[in-house]
Amino acid sequence: MNAHIQTDNPPDLDWWRGAVIYQIYPRSFQDSDGDGIGDLRGITRRLPYVASLGVDAVWISPFFKSPQKDFGYDISDYRDVDPMFGTLADFDALIAEAHRLGIKIIIDQVYSHTSDKHPWFAESRANRDNAKADWYVWADPKPDGAPPSNWLSVFGGSSWQWDTTRRQYYLHHFLASQPDLNFHNPEVQDAVLDTARFWLDRGVDGFRLDTLNFFFHSTGLEDNPALPPEERNAVSTPAVNPYSYQRHVYDKNRPENLDFLKRFRTLLNEYPGAVAVGEVGESHRGLELIGAYTSGGDKVHMCYSFDFLAPDPLTPAHIRKTLTDFDDSAPDGWSCWSFSNHDVVRHASRWADRTEDRDAYLRMAAALLLTLKGSACLYQGEELGLTEAILDFDDLQDPYGIQFWPEFKGRDGCRTPMVWESGSPNGGFSGGRPWLPVPAEHLHLAVSEQEHGESLLQHYRMLIALRSRNIELTKGTLRFIGDSDAVLAFERRFGDRTIVVAINMSGITAQVDLPDNGLRAIAGFDDKARLEDGRLTLEPYGYWLARQRQGSEIA
């Protein structure tokens, strides 16, 4: 019997702390009807595979009714399934099967904006005095007709769009077809909370809150100040995007967000075990905001930032600084770390392709992600080592990539279909023409090729199983050991139980001082490591896990 099948044990309401979450991008996971687009029935069909990974939960990207201008992140009906993905009955069947397998379901909620096809916006834009006139962010032009402020859209250009009916501008942080809701209006907050309740009543176990720090804007509509060139980075937007030229203090990251998140948490508390994980898209204050949003136990349970989703190389110093800064910002907060998702270049290309031993690097990265303090989010295909697909311009679907081509190629390269069977058309994803091409170089990485032997897939399964069996790795504290440039060493402690982790993040043999105070290597993680006279030697990209004898301390 699968280890995740439900039992009669009392539920762990703190299950999210240290959980492994598997992200599914529904358009690209499994097509069940041959139209080339993945759907809910396809996800349900593949849930046994997901359960075999040993993950705790699945996060499903948007499947709601939508014009699909931003592939589901432009919602026209929060309470229904887009026909391309199936029906509400299909979703109910998915929930039932996931729960039977012991998998929790987290769904995306996009609250900062809707589609311009949403009935709320159609009513709001009709005139200035209707019941929903103030449900979106409307503003008069400057005397010369210019937009109200210098705020920029993440997807390029001004974030203000002129509307000829109301003769006002409306705010959109992304596409012009994604108008921003006005969270300063209590009725908007109430409507959003009612939407959440609809899905909680349907059995979902939680939400991933898209663009969490974008909910509120400054009602004064002040211009954002310029960001000095030396402070600019590509953490959340590419360097070619002028969005990174501003310090975003007025268009997002507003303190009013905290009160709404408390309202949201109050609702979640009515459903024991329900959780929220927020996305914080911010290049400079990401960890500070995560700290604010997750502290106190009265807002969201956890957040993820773009610190490990950015192009910056992964180094021990970067890991130590990021986790230390987070702990300083929110000693009682909780983060959800990830290396890949549907918005960024897959880390198998972003980092591993720069190394001499790609496979060893990916195994090391998996060990790192699954032993850090915090929850972990895996993106579909990450466990197979899928690389970023190189697509022709004519194959692009993403408006973000089309806008900034060729310096920035958008997000399509990480969204190509999952590969299931190497010998089947389109890797077993669909019998029809896929909405994005299946790269030929992915076929040898298909699930069918990695189900046996010492594959990366099996490596992930082993690490997830180790994590789930050891509370030190899920809910324990973390303390770094030393400050090596090559080896990241730390202890995870829960009560009187301790696991020591040492990871060589370099491509050369490296050593780290690790006094042997009762350390005993965990089976399977000491094949090539050597601990002699207080010094641990690790092969390139090698790692070592050991239990510490109770009562002893690491210096």
Side-chain angles (χ1 to χ4, degrees):
M1 184 177 74
N2 188 283
H4 270 66
I5 297 294
Q6 286 184 333
T7 69
D8 294 329
N9 294 330
D12 177 11
L13 301 184
D14 214 24
W15 68 267
W16 53 272
R17 198 178 292 274
V20 179
I21 303 168
Y22 187 82
Q23 183 194 355
I24 289 178
Y25 191 70
R27 292 180 71 95
S28 299
F29 197 60
Q30 178 66 65
D31 174 21
S32 71
D33 58 12
D35 66 356
I37 297 173
D39 46 48
L40 296 179
R41 289 188 178 186
I43 295 174
T44 302
R45 173 187 165 190
R46 296 295 186 179
L47 282 177
Y49 165 79
V50 177
S52 78
L53 297 175
V55 300
D56 301 285
V58 165
W59 150 30
I60 306 176
S61 291
F63 51 83
F64 316 103
K65 278 191 174 179
S66 164
Q68 301 293 320
K69 296 292 183 63
D70 190 23
F71 303 103
Y73 285 91
D74 51 327
I75 295 171
S76 58
D77 188 341
Y78 282 107
R79 300 190 183 199
D80 204 359
V81 175
D82 194 284
M84 74 167 56
F85 297 123
T87 65
L88 280 171
D90 292 332
F91 180 77
D92 292 341
L94 188 159
I95 283 275
E97 176 64 3
H99 287 172
R100 186 188 73 81
L101 293 169
I103 301 171
K104 299 184 184 300
I105 294 294
I106 295 170
I107 63 172
D108 240 313
Q109 293 286 270
V110 187
Y111 293 149
S112 69
H113 54 267
T114 71
S115 164
D116 60 357
K117 304 303 181 185
H118 197 293
W120 295 348
F121 187 69
E123 183 174 350
S124 185
R125 80 189 311 178
N127 53 62
R128 299 191 186 192
D129 56 8
N130 66 78
K132 290 186 173 57
D134 193 39
W135 277 43
Y136 291 81
V137 183
W138 295 96
D140 291 326
K142 291 183 177 179
D144 63 358
S149 69
N150 70 344
W151 300 350
L152 296 175
S153 163
V154 175
F155 286 172
S158 172
S159 63
W160 294 102
Q161 179 69 25
W162 179 252
D163 182 76
T164 56
T165 301
R166 285 187 50 149
R167 297 186 182 181
Q168 287 182 302
Y169 285 95
Y170 66 83
L171 180 66
H172 63 92
H173 281 296
F174 299 93
L175 296 175
S177 58
Q178 293 171 296
D180 271 56
L181 285 165
N182 178 19
F183 270 75
H184 291 284
N185 186 333
E187 293 181 353
V188 170
Q189 295 188 30
D190 292 343
V192 163
L193 293 173
D194 286 344
T195 293
R197 186 181 295 279
F198 172 85
W199 291 105
L200 288 166
D201 287 341
R202 219 164 187 101
V204 303
D205 301 287
F207 304 105
R208 179 262 189 185
L209 299 179
D210 185 66
T211 57
L212 182 63
N213 54 318
F214 285 74
F215 290 177
F216 284 85
H217 65 287
S218 170
T219 56
L221 307 183
E222 301 93 334
D223 282 351
N224 282 328
L227 189 69
E230 63 271 16
E231 294 186 38
R232 298 171 191 167
N233 61 52
V235 169
S236 61
T237 55
V240 297
N241 189 345
Y243 187 83
S244 61
Y245 289 25
Q246 292 185 357
R247 194 182 302 280
H248 294 275
V249 294
Y250 295 116
D251 55 344
K252 63 179 185 179
N253 305 331
R254 303 299 298 170
E256 299 93 327
N257 207 21
L258 297 177
D259 287 335
F260 171 73
L261 296 183
K262 290 178 182 178
R263 291 194 68 194
F264 197 81
R265 180 62 173 264
T266 298
L267 170 63
L268 291 178
N269 289 343
E270 295 179 27
Y271 298 80
V275 304
V277 53
E279 175 199 33
V280 177
E282 166 59 24
S283 296
H284 294 87
R285 296 178 53 207
L287 294 178
E288 174 190 338
L289 292 171
I290 289 177
Y293 295 166
T294 64
S295 65
D298 59 352
K299 295 175 281 291
V300 296
H301 298 75
M302 53 187 168
C303 288
Y304 74 86
S305 68
F306 282 72
D307 291 85
F308 299 148
L309 296 169
D312 300 336
L314 202 61
T315 65
H318 183 33
I319 298 290
R320 285 191 291 264
K321 183 178 188 308
T322 300
L323 268 70
T324 300
D325 287 351
F326 175 76
D327 283 342
D328 290 343
S329 299
D332 63 340
W334 198 261
S335 189
C336 183
W337 306 113
S338 56
F339 292 164
S340 289
N341 70 16
H342 66 294
D343 281 333
V344 301
V345 174
R346 286 183 177 274
H347 73 267
S349 294
R350 197 168 75 245
W351 296 328
D353 280 357
R354 302 176 184 177
T355 68
E356 294 183 359
D357 192 338
R358 178 179 172 278
D359 290 344
Y361 185 95
L362 291 178
R363 291 168 187 260
M364 177 277 294
L368 173 61
L369 180 62
L370 292 166
T371 55
L372 288 177
K373 178 187 175 183
S375 300
C377 191
L378 310 179
Y379 178 50
Q380 64 182 50
E382 173 181 337
E383 75 278 13
L384 305 178
L386 296 190
T387 55
E388 185 80 357
I390 306 301
L391 303 176
D392 294 332
F393 181 79
D394 290 342
D395 289 324
L396 292 190
Q397 305 288 327
D398 183 13
Y400 196 9
I402 292 170
Q403 172 74 12
F404 288 102
W405 178 275
E407 284 77 14
F408 174 65
K409 297 178 173 57
R411 302 163 295 177
D412 290 323
C414 66
R415 297 177 175 182
T416 55
M418 185 76 169
V419 283
W420 299 100
E421 295 99 25
S422 60
S424 298
N426 302 314
F429 164 71
S430 174
R433 181 180 180 182
W435 75 286
L436 284 174
V438 177
E441 62 271 20
H442 283 186
L443 294 178
H444 79 282
L445 299 172
V447 172
S448 63
E449 298 294 310
Q450 299 197 44
E451 279 290 7
H452 306 287
E454 297 182 358
S455 65
L456 183 63
L457 171 59
Q458 299 290 50
H459 193 69
Y460 268 86
R461 284 173 171 154
M462 176 181 65
L463 287 166
I464 294 170
L466 177 77
R467 180 184 177 98
S468 68
R469 291 195 305 266
N470 293 277
I471 197 169
E472 306 98 303
L473 297 177
T474 55
K475 297 179 172 63
T477 61
L478 182 147
R479 183 173 73 90
F480 291 111
I481 302 169
D483 58 357
S484 166
D485 291 335
V487 178
L488 182 73
F490 53 90
E491 66 172 27
R492 299 295 312 277
R493 182 184 293 272
F494 188 90
D496 59 359
R497 298 178 54 172
T498 301
I499 288 179
V500 174
V501 182
I503 302 175
N504 183 2
M505 300 178 66
S506 75
I508 61 174
T509 300
Q511 296 180 320
V512 62
D513 290 332
L514 201 66
D516 184 3
N517 291 340
L519 293 177
R520 178 171 54 85
I522 296 175
F525 298 94
D526 61 340
D527 293 344
K528 298 180 181 179
R530 301 187 307 276
L531 180 62
E532 298 174 352
D533 299 325
R535 174 154 289 193
L536 179 71
T537 301
L538 292 166
E539 297 290 314
Y541 305 120
Y543 62 92
W544 189 73
L545 280 75
R547 299 188 193 284
Q548 183 180 331
R549 186 180 65 241
Q550 293 183 10
S552 60
E553 294 288 339
I554 297 295

